[in-house]
Amino acid sequence: MVKLPGDIKRFTKRRRNMSKKVVVLGSINVDTTYHVERFPQPGETIAARSKSSAPGGKGANQAVAAARSGAQTAFIGAVGSDSEGDYMLEALKENAIDVRHVAIDQYHGTGSAAVTLDANGQNDIMIYGGANQALTTDVLAGAEDVLDGADFLISQFETPQAVTLAAFKLAKKHGVTTILNPAPAHDIIPELLQYTDVIAPNESECALLTGIEIADEESMLKSAEYFRSQGVSHLLVTLGSKGVFYATPAGHGLVPAFKVKAVDTTAAGDTFIGALSSQLNDDLSNVAEALVYAQRASSLTVQQMGAMPSIPTADQVQAALVE
């Protein structure tokens, strides 16, 4: 088990003065959340207590999390030529995110998600890919300016893997560390792993990609061996309330989760990834320490409603760490 650093105040002060440059390639969605007491059974109609809309999408959430934790953040993606696209571009700009490489798709609408949220804070999500799924490698034209000098490039599976593969190859030309969040889970292009430095699945995603059921430390170490054989040096497996398991060339361990009462888990994983990227050293030498920060950021997110609106700032995370 990894203990919280005893000198966490010194740690957070140091991180404030070390701004990272993060690029996110990914999805942009408008989230509509239906608040219910419980999830409906197949064929059942139930009443929603209320409905709300907020900016979201795994890519956009991760970018906002990185930016709010102090990283210089740029985004590569697409929105539709519609009011939702205008809304999402403004949301990113309000968080000081560089949107010069967000394309305007004239043929597909802005991505959207329908979220059903129950009284326990658990959710079901249906996603319309729209401009996200229509993304092509053309979006990378001219993107070398944001990759040049970047520390990290993050991507997920809500945009085509072929675009991520091309972007990761481009990142490697510029010495950029690549982080892959393989969510939502599905089969992966094998070549993509060869260009991935850090992979961060949850338990089910990890099992799907490796064929190894996550049951204990031994199974997670076997998963790490699998990913290393494919070219991925760092594995982070998010385990919900149990924390995060990490395996790196320097060692492995479990960073425990912070115990809080969740009211909405929608952007928990995205906050974790974005916040993590803002804290990691370029050589990934401080994984355990950065995971503490990322876990704390995620724990604050689940205590608020909505995806992007619930993502904390660096000051909020740092204050929570020293409580």
Side-chain angles (χ1 to χ4, degrees), residues 13 21 41 91 169 189 195-196 207 256 266 295:
K13 181 178 180 181
K21 184 177 180 183
Q41 298 299 311
K169 288 181 176 180
I189 299 173
Y195 294 90
T196 299
T266 304
Q295 286 277 77

Side-chain angles (χ1 to χ4, degrees), residues 172-290:
K172 286 297 149 193
K173 286 176 54 180
H174 290 271
V176 179
T177 298
T178 54
I179 301 175
L180 180 63
N181 175 215
H186 53 72
D187 292 340
I188 190 170
I189 299 173
E191 189 183 5
L192 180 56
L193 295 177
Q194 299 173 26
Y195 294 90
T196 299
D197 296 305
V198 181
I199 191 164
N202 63 24
E203 294 172 84
S204 61
E205 292 158 356
C206 190
L208 178 66
L209 295 175
T210 65
I212 302 168
E213 198 66 31
I214 298 299
D216 50 24
E217 183 179 272
E218 181 181 359
S219 60
M220 288 186 283
L221 287 173
K222 286 182 179 178
S223 298
E225 290 174 7
Y226 170 83
F227 284 117
R228 276 197 295 271
S229 73
Q230 302 300 307
V232 186
S233 59
H234 290 66
L235 169 66
L236 311 175
V237 184
T238 54
L239 304 169
S241 62
K242 291 177 285 187
V244 180
F245 174 83
Y246 69 91
T248 77
H252 67 273
L254 178 70
V255 177
F258 291 85
K259 295 187 182 302
V260 298
K261 180 174 176 53
V263 298
D264 185 358
T265 60
T266 304
D270 300 333
T271 299
F272 170 82
I273 295 291
L276 178 74
S277 70
S278 75
Q279 305 299 306
L280 283 171
N281 290 340
D282 295 347
D283 61 0
L284 303 175
S285 60
N286 68 329
V287 168
E289 193 175 47

Side-chain angles (χ1 to χ4, degrees), residues 11-321:
F11 162 68
T12 54
K13 181 178 180 181
R14 183 171 73 250
R15 299 312 305 175
R16 186 182 289 116
N17 297 322
M18 298 174 64
S19 177
K20 293 296 174 183
K21 184 177 180 183
V22 175
V23 181
V24 178
L25 164 66
S27 57
I28 299 173
N29 291 332
V30 176
D31 293 345
T32 299
T33 300
Y34 296 86
H35 303 262
V36 298
E37 284 297 322
R38 59 175 178 80
F39 296 123
Q41 298 299 311
E44 181 185 15
T45 299
I46 64 173
R49 291 179 298 160
S50 61
K51 183 181 79 167
S52 58
S53 294
K58 296 191 72 64
N61 292 338
Q62 290 172 11
V64 168
R68 289 184 184 172
S69 278
Q72 300 177 52
T73 309
F75 201 92
I76 301 173
V79 294
S81 179
D82 48 34
S83 59
E84 289 85 358
D86 295 339
Y87 170 62
M88 289 304 304
L89 285 174
E90 284 305 310
L92 294 174
K93 290 177 184 177
E94 286 173 1
N95 284 276
I97 295 170
D98 180 349
V99 297
R100 289 176 297 150
H101 297 287
V102 176
I104 308 298
D105 189 325
Q106 302 294 329
Y107 303 101
H108 302 87
T110 299
S112 61
V115 182
T116 305
L117 180 68
D118 75 4
N120 296 315
Q122 296 302 308
N123 59 47
D124 279 342
I125 304 175
M126 294 180 293
I127 295 174
Y128 163 67
N132 297 316
Q133 282 300 313
L135 205 64
T136 70
T137 54
D138 290 346
V139 77
L140 300 175
E144 293 197 48
D145 65 329
V146 295
L147 289 172
D148 187 33
D151 296 296
F152 301 104
L153 171 62
I154 303 170
S155 192
Q156 331 78 36
F157 280 175
E158 286 186 346
T159 50
Q161 287 187 44
V163 181
T164 297
L165 175 58
F168 276 22
K169 288 181 176 180
L170 195 59
K172 286 297 149 193
K173 286 176 54 180
H174 290 271
V176 179
T177 298
T178 54
I179 301 175
L180 180 63
N181 175 215
H186 53 72
D187 292 340
I188 190 170
I189 299 173
E191 189 183 5
L192 180 56
L193 295 177
Q194 299 173 26
Y195 294 90
T196 299
D197 296 305
V198 181
I199 191 164
N202 63 24
E203 294 172 84
S204 61
E205 292 158 356
C206 190
L208 178 66
L209 295 175
T210 65
I212 302 168
E213 198 66 31
I214 298 299
D216 50 24
E217 183 179 272
E218 181 181 359
S219 60
M220 288 186 283
L221 287 173
K222 286 182 179 178
S223 298
E225 290 174 7
Y226 170 83
F227 284 117
R228 276 197 295 271
S229 73
Q230 302 300 307
V232 186
S233 59
H234 290 66
L235 169 66
L236 311 175
V237 184
T238 54
L239 304 169
S241 62
K242 291 177 285 187
V244 180
F245 174 83
Y246 69 91
T248 77
H252 67 273
L254 178 70
V255 177
F258 291 85
K259 295 187 182 302
V260 298
K261 180 174 176 53
V263 298
D264 185 358
T265 60
T266 304
D270 300 333
T271 299
F272 170 82
I273 295 291
L276 178 74
S277 70
S278 75
Q279 305 299 306
L280 283 171
N281 290 340
D282 295 347
D283 61 0
L284 303 175
S285 60
N286 68 329
V287 168
E289 193 175 47
L291 285 172
V292 173
Y293 179 97
Q295 286 277 77
R296 196 50 169 143
S298 184
S299 77
L300 295 177
T301 293
V302 301
Q303 295 179 71
Q304 304 293 327
M305 297 299 299
M308 199 176 289
S310 69
I311 298 170
T313 64
D315 286 343
Q316 290 171 325
V317 178
Q318 289 158 359
L321 281 169

